[in-house]
Every structure is written in structure tokens, then in C-alpha cells.
Amino acid sequence: GAPANTPLEIIARVNTQVNAALTDPKFEARLADLGGEPFAGSPGAFGTFLTDYADKWRPVIRAANIKPE
């Protein structure tokens, strides 16, 4: 994520460039080699994804009593 005071124009420009990079087959293959998955979309959609992901795993982490190192 970007710092909270980052201008929206900068966030939009970076988002456009990242989405463009994700369409490059070489970049996509390298990302897959590293175990990553491309996530193209808007900053808002990514924020929703992160919130949903945290909500999904929070109960599992608490039930397993997993602590950060």
C-alpha cells in the first residue's frame, strides 16, 4: 500500500502501470515462478480483497494460537 497521504493521481498512475505489467506474459510467468498470482484491478478492489482475506484467516490464526515471530 501507499502512504495515507499519497495523492489519488499518483495511486491511479501506479495502478495503471501495474495492471499493464500484469498483461506481459514474461512478467506473469516470473510471478508464477515466485509463487505469486497476478491481481489486476482497482485500488478499491485490492483493499476489499485484503479485508476479506484477513477476515477469512483471522479465526484460523486465533484458533491455532499462531503468533508472529
Side-chain angles (χ1 to χ4, degrees), residues 34-56:
L34 295 172
E37 268 184 59
F39 185 96
S42 70
F46 187 63
T48 299
F49 167 78
L50 291 178
T51 299
D52 292 348
Y53 191 82
D55 290 346
K56 174 183 176 180

Side-chain angles (χ1 to χ4, degrees), residues 2-6 11 14-15 19-20 29 33 42-43 45 48-50 55 58-59 61 63-64 68-69:
N5 61 349
T6 303
I11 292 172
V14 169
N15 184 65
N19 284 336
D33 287 344
S42 70
T48 299
F49 167 78
L50 291 178
D55 290 346
R58 187 176 295 112
I61 291 168
E69 294 182 6

Side-chain angles (χ1 to χ4, degrees), residues 17-31:
Q17 292 172 350
V18 168
N19 284 336
L22 291 173
T23 65
D24 181 334
K26 288 180 184 177
F27 182 81
E28 189 175 4
R30 180 64 179 136
L31 190 59

